[in-house]
């Protein structure tokens, strides 16, 4: 086989990839900056890294008072819920900024599970239905917290989970592993397959037939549990297409997780730069050694790149762009690695102190590594992308 | 919120009667096309008319090829003109003028210099080159030794040697930095000039590159006369002026916002689609992660473009160039490997002196080899990392001994 003749300039995009998305807005608006400042102030006050460590070692990983302040006072619980349903009517762009801050402080809160995952699934249900509207209203008000009963590792684009069955009376039986954000969750939004096919159901977490078994998770700041249902009473949450509703929720959460990863990475970079700017060895500030400066410059480049990717995903989700699946796959597969790299560099460049339980670096490392698996691994998102941009695998 | 930003960006235009918007630009393009139909007039005539209509670079001031409009509106003009099949100014041929000389002249030039140089620079009638690097001064550019001495009449006489000068063989003008005071520390004794490449004292000799071509040159300057009117900025202030050039250079090389899957990744992706027999699982994963990195770099460049709707790039531009070099090298390397047996062929080693700088042209072998220059030209990747570490992250500089001594006393 001879080489195909190549045109002089091959820098033009191939028609197959010519989804030409309008340039996303990659900056932060004033409203977003204000929201960031409000969240940051509250966290600095209520949740410094030392406090996180104490809390995750205690009985109650989540601080109910902190969540109340975030959820109700700042309105974060209902950020994505439209105003007419009792929420803030904000978009994925604002939720992304919140996740940057929550990631930057590795805060144990149910924001991702309740305000993003469960809420996004509900928003794709029948918004004329009483059960759906009622639950969204309670979530937005912060009086109830929910989580979506899927493994944290579930990726968008997968099959509808079939581990929980609903019977003709709407009772659920089955088991879901590695569910995030169960502590404090009053409601579980459960994907289950019933006689009429896939559906979403509301289950009271306190019901005696529901078993929530926490296990010790790699990420201390986002506790996980296996959840089992044995004939549990459930209320159907009607939707025209439950698999689509679930998938939209997973896509939104995966796209927004990139912003959490960005927050994690930014903290690791900032803290390492700060530490190396004051630590002395060999009669010099350690941060003046070129080998370290170059590593940090490379890390900075990764972080600014992750910011562009995360902003693009948030903007695509916020505007309902048809490009959202590509933007999310790109952001998620890129930012996951950046967060892990930043956290690994933070540990290494702090030397011995980076290896201790006392120093918060390990909290970020564990969050970053767990986030790499959460909502689809980078490899999984690359495989999705291969289909989307028509770069098929070998036969 | 996007509105608010644009209003700000167009601010400098307000005094002249309201900010320019996309609709107005489209109207102006229509008028230009009606008055100068591209099929009926020569390309030069059309480009001059486009410049005079303020549609060359819309963010430049009125009278200098622009309308004081937000930079983000340039694509509106470009798309309309491309649709009308209008001739363009071949940016690959005149990149140094567009990317480096023009922003520097705009920022530091006198009104006369702007009027004289910018129009033919933009139309491509007068290409530019950059006489900065010297055999003894590359990364440490401020150590340069080319001398400019002032005559009693006011003209400057320049003697020295420059090297790695891209496109010197096609250039009409050069931006040049030379030492005007050896008795002060090195950064303080430099002055910035515009050099006439047709001066009899300028001798250009090709330097052949590892691609086989000679895109760059060595340039010998012997008694070159430069009128003081061609000095850019104050005497002794050349290092500061050169910083503007260098920051713009990094954005010019690494900051072009391309469409998705354009640039270096385009050829590799096309080969992947056209030649299924070459595919392996391992190459697939590498191609996808390279594709993602290219998309992320594109978004980063777009984000810098949005931040910079007007104004000059800061040290962040160094990041774009660093990413660009790494990506181009990685993808072009992958492409040669993907081609397998065909990757063993190289189009042509004949020594030519190309008329434009081309990163993506010819074949995979050429792309692979040419990309090696991306981490050297415009500041090496090592120097860019220093800049990011010291100017963005504000980490302390390494101890230095060369900053405060007079240039003439430095060891060499
Ligand atoms: C294709 C191409 C086109 C070019 N076009 C032009 C042009 O048009 N006009 C022009 O003026 N110049 C041009 N250049 C020159 C270019 O700017 C210089 O080559 C570059 O700045 C490096 O200088 P040098 O070659 O002297 O290498 P050196 O400065 O000698 O560097 C040698 C090595 O040491 C490293 N190094 C140097 N200092 C440090 C430090 N402080 N810390 C860590 N590492 C360091 C460098 O990164 C490099 O790897 C071009 C170069 C190329 C390759």
């Amino acid at each position: 086989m001879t080489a195909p003749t190549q045109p002089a300039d091959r820098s033009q995009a191939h028609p197959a990839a010519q989804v030409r998305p309008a340039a996303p807005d990659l900056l932060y608006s004033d409203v977003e900056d204000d929201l960031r400042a409000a969240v940051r102030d509250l966290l600095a006050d209520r949740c410094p890294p030392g406090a996180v460590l104490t809390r995750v070692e205690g009985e109650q990983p989540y601080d109910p008072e902190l969540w109340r302040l975030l959820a109700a006072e700042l309105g974060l619980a209902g950020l994505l819920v439209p105003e007419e349903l009792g929420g803030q009517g904000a978009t994925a762009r604002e939720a992304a900024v919140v996740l940057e801050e929550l990631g930057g402080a590795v805060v144990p809160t149910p924001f991702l599970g309740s305000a993003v995952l469960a809420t996004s699934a509900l928003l794709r249900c029948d918004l004329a239905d009483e059960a759906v509207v009622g639950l969204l209203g309670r979530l937005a008000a912060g009086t109830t917290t929910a989580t979506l009963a899927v493994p944290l590792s579930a990726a968008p684009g997968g099959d509808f989970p079939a581990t929980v069955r609903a019977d003709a009376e709407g009772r659920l039986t089955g088991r879901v592993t590695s569910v995030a954000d169960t502590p404090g969750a009053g409601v579980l939004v459960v994907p289950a397959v019933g006689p009429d096919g896939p559906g979403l159901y509301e289950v009271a977490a306190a019901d005696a037939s529901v078993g929530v078994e926490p296990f010790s998770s790699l990420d201390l700041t986002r506790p996980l549990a296996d959840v089992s249902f044995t004939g549990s009473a459930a209320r159907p949450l009607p939707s025209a297409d439950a698999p689509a509703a679930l998938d939209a929720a997973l896509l939104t959460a995966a796209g927004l997780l990139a912003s959490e990863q960005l927050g994690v990475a930014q903290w690791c970079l900032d803290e390492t730069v700060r530490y190396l700017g004051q630590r002395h060895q060999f009669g010099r500030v350690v941060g003046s050694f070129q080998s370290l400066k170059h590593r940090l410059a490379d890390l900075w480049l990764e972080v600014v790149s992750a910011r562009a990717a995360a902003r693009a995903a948030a903007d695509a989700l916020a505007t309902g762009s048809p490009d959202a699946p590509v933007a999310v796959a790109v952001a998620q597969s890129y930012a996951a690695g950046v967060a892990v790299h930043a956290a690994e560099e933070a540990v290494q460049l702090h030397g011995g102190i980076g290896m201790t339980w006392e120093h918060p670096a390990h909290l970020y490392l564990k969050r970053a590594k767990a986030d790499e698996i959460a909502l689809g691994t980078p490899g999984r998102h690359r495989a999705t992308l291969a289909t989307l941009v028509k770069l098929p695998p070998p036969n | 919120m996007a509105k608010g930003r644009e209003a700000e960006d167009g601010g400098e235009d307000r005094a002249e009667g309201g900010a320019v918007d996309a609709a107005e630009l489209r109207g102006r393009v229509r008028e230009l096309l009606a008055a100068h139909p591209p099929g009926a007039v020569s390309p030069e005539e059309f480009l001059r008319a486009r410049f005079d209509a303020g549609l060359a670079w819309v963010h430049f001031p009125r009278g200098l090829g622009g309308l004081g409009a937000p930079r983000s509106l340039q694509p509106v003009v470009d798309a309309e003109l491309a649709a009308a099949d209008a001739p363009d100014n071949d940016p690959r041929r005149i990149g140094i003028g567009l990317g480096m000389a023009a922003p520097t002249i705009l920022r530091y030039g006198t009104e006369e210099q702007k009027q004289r140089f910018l129009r033919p620079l933009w139309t491509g009638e007068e290409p530019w080159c950059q006489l900065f690097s010297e055999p003894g001064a590359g990364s440490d550019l401020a150590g340069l030794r080319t001398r400019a001495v002032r005559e009693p009449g006011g003209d400057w006489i320049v003697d020295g040697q420059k090297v790695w000068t891209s496109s010197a063989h096609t250039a009409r003008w050069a931006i040049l930095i030379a030492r005007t005071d050896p008795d002060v520390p090195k950064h303080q004794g430099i002055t910035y000039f515009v050099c006439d490449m047709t001066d009899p004292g300028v001798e250009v000799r090709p330097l052949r590159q590892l691609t086989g071509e000679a895109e760059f040159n060595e340039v010998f300057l012997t008694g070159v006369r430069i009128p003081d009117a061609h000095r850019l900025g104050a005497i002794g202030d050349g290092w500061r002026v050169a910083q503007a050039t260098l920051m713009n250079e990094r954005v010019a090389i690494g900051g072009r916002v391309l469409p998705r899957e354009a640039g270096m990744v385009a050829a590799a992706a096309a080969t992947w689609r056209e030649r299924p027999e070459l595919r392996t699982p391992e190459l697939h994963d590498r191609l996808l992660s390279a594709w993602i990195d290219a998309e992320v770099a594109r978004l980063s460049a777009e984000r810098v473009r949005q931040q910079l709707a007007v104004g000059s790039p800061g040290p962040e531009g160094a990041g774009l160039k660093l990413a660009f070099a790494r990506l181009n090298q990685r993808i072009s390397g992958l492409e040669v490997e993907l081609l397998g047996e065909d990757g063993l062929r190289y189009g042509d080693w004949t020594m030519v002196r190309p008329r434009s700088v081309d990163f993506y042209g010819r074949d995979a072998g050429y792309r692979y080899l040419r990309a090696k220059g991306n981490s050297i030209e415009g500041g090496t990747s090592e120097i860019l990392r220093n800049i990011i570490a010291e100017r963005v992250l504000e980490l302390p500089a390494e101890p230095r001994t060369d900053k405060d001594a007079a240039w003439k006393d430095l060891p060499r």
Side-chain angles (χ1 to χ4, degrees), chain A residues 290 294, chain B residues 96 100 129-141 162-168 209 215-216 249 359 370 372-383 386 398:
Chain A
Q290 193 180 51
H294 282 193
Chain B
I96 295 170
M100 284 97 97
C129 68
Q130 180 190 21
L131 292 172
F132 278 24
S133 306
E134 298 183 2
S139 300
D140 183 15
L141 186 58
K162 296 289 178 176
V163 75
W164 324 126
T165 318
S166 304
S167 306
Q209 283 158 241
E215 178 191 299
F216 55 34
E249 175 170 23
F359 296 162
R370 181 61 186 83
K372 295 291 164 263
N374 293 160
S375 54
I376 303 171
E377 58 202 317
T380 68
S381 291
E382 289 74 28
I383 294 301
N386 284 354
E398 289 196 85

Side-chain angles (χ1 to χ4, degrees), chain A residues 139-155:
Chain A
L139 293 185
T143 49
T144 299
T145 302
T147 196
L148 185 66
V150 291
L152 181 61
S153 55

Side-chain angles (χ1 to χ4, degrees), chain B residues 111-339:
Chain B
E111 200 47 42
E112 249 170 30
Q113 290 169 338
K114 293 179 202 171
Q115 293 294 344
R116 166 62 189 87
F117 292 123
L118 289 176
R119 189 174 186 251
L121 178 159
W122 186 85
T123 62
E125 288 160 275
E126 293 183 348
W128 287 65
C129 68
Q130 180 190 21
L131 292 172
F132 278 24
S133 306
E134 298 183 2
S139 300
D140 183 15
L141 186 58
L144 60 87
R145 58 191 318 161
T146 291
R147 281 283 274 135
V149 178
R150 194 148 192 202
E151 287 205 315
D155 285 359
W156 297 84
I157 302 297
V158 180
D159 287 281
Q161 185 194 342
K162 296 289 178 176
V163 75
W164 324 126
T165 318
S166 304
S167 306
H169 52 290
T170 56
R172 171 70 181 80
W173 299 101
I175 42 179
L176 163 75
I177 47 179
R179 186 155 309 280
T180 44
D181 187 351
D183 298 325
V184 293
K186 61 183 181 179
H187 294 94
Q188 293 164 30
I190 296 172
T191 303
Y192 198 119
F193 298 97
V194 170
C195 174
D196 183 346
M197 292 296 284
T198 65
D199 186 286
V202 175
E203 189 198 341
V204 178
R205 294 187 202 151
L207 286 172
R208 197 173 180 195
Q209 283 158 241
L210 44 59
T211 56
E213 299 186 347
E215 178 191 299
F216 55 34
N217 304 272
E218 52 186 345
V219 178
F220 296 86
L221 306 166
T222 319
V224 175
R225 179 173 295 273
I226 298 183
D228 193 52
H230 286 183
R231 170 168 49 82
L232 217 57
I235 297 171
D237 204 24
W239 184 248
R240 193 159 67 101
V241 183
Q243 287 309 303
T245 308
L246 296 175
M247 300 247 199
N248 277 289
E249 175 170 23
R250 279 146 206 167
V251 175
I253 296 177
R256 255 178 79 208
V257 182
L258 300 165
R260 176 175 287 168
E261 206 187 275
M264 199 59 94
V265 74
T271 301
W272 184 269
R273 293 193 185 98
E274 288 158 14
R275 306 203 39 200
E277 79 283 6
L278 298 174
R279 297 174 193 165
T280 69
E282 182 263 354
L283 286 168
H284 190 230
D285 204 49
R286 277 165 64 201
L287 177 67
L288 284 168
S289 73
W291 194 99
I292 288 165
D293 284 4
E295 173 68 4
V296 172
R298 185 183 82 80
L299 291 166
S300 304
E302 170 65 22
R303 187 156 197 275
V304 169
R305 193 182 68 76
Q306 291 179 9
Q307 286 173 315
L308 209 138
V310 288
S312 343
E316 289 78 12
L320 296 180
K321 211 269 209 174
L322 183 56
F324 174 84
R326 192 187 294 163
L327 199 62
N328 277 358
Q329 293 176 351
R330 182 166 138 217
I331 297 176
S332 59
L334 175 65
E335 192 196 353
V336 172
E337 196 183 331
L338 168 64
L339 283 167

Side-chain angles (χ1 to χ4, degrees), chain A residues 6-298:
Chain A
Q6 302 195 345
D9 184 352
R10 296 203 80 187
S11 64
Q12 298 309 307
H14 186 275
Q18 274 174 1
V19 196
R20 284 285 173 83
D25 179 354
L26 300 174
L27 305 182
Y28 297 102
S29 69
D30 294 345
V31 174
E32 289 159 17
D33 284 339
D34 291 348
L35 178 62
R36 179 196 302 286
V39 175
R40 184 173 288 188
D41 281 353
L42 183 65
L43 294 179
D45 211 33
R46 301 260 346 167
C47 188
V52 173
L53 191 57
T54 316
R55 186 151 277 288
V56 298
E57 286 186 284
E59 282 298 294
Q60 250 251 29
Y62 289 170
D63 173 357
E65 176 57 11
L66 173 65
W67 176 235
R68 194 192 63 74
L69 291 171
L70 288 168
E73 306 264 295
L74 293 184
L76 300 190
L79 206 54
L80 294 176
V81 178
E83 282 174 68
E84 59 273 22
L85 298 178
Q88 306 293 317
T91 70
R93 292 179 57 94
E94 289 82 9
V97 170
V98 170
L99 276 165
E100 280 182 37
E101 292 306 309
L102 296 178
V106 280
V107 185
T109 70
F111 182 79
L112 186 71
S114 188
V116 177
L117 272 168
T119 299
S120 298
L122 287 166
L123 286 171
R124 265 78 175 186
C125 290
D126 180 357
L127 292 181
D129 182 83
E130 214 181 296
V132 175
V133 173
L135 181 51
L136 275 171
R138 279 178 287 138
L139 293 185
T143 49
T144 299
T145 302
T147 196
L148 185 66
V150 291
L152 181 61
S153 55
D159 293 334
F160 191 83
T163 60
V164 181
R165 300 264 153 198
D167 65 19
E169 282 83 58
R171 293 185 176 279
L172 304 191
T173 302
R175 184 177 164 83
V176 189
T177 49
S178 316
V179 179
D181 292 339
T182 53
V187 167
L188 301 167
V189 174
V190 188
V193 182
D196 305 325
L200 295 174
Y201 296 83
E202 173 185 342
V203 176
D207 195 286
S209 64
V210 177
V212 176
E213 307 147 40
F215 57 85
S216 99
S217 47
L218 174 66
D219 176 4
L220 296 160
T221 60
R222 180 169 281 145
L224 301 176
D226 295 333
V227 179
S228 55
F229 306 94
T230 39
S232 307
R235 187 171 186 185
L237 296 163
S239 71
D241 187 345
L246 178 64
D247 204 55
L250 292 173
L251 186 73
T252 301
L256 292 180
L257 190 68
S259 289
E260 177 177 302
Q261 288 159 331
L262 169 64
V264 168
Q266 183 76 58
W267 183 89
C268 293
L269 173 65
D270 291 347
E271 189 54 27
T272 308
V273 167
R274 193 191 66 73
Y275 179 69
L276 293 184
Q278 50 140 67
R279 170 83 179 158
H280 282 71
Q281 289 290 283
F282 300 98
R284 279 167 69 177
V285 176
V286 173
S288 70
F289 287 103
Q290 193 180 51
S291 68
L292 302 192
K293 286 161 74 173
H294 282 193
R295 274 165 78 164
L296 291 169
D298 284 335

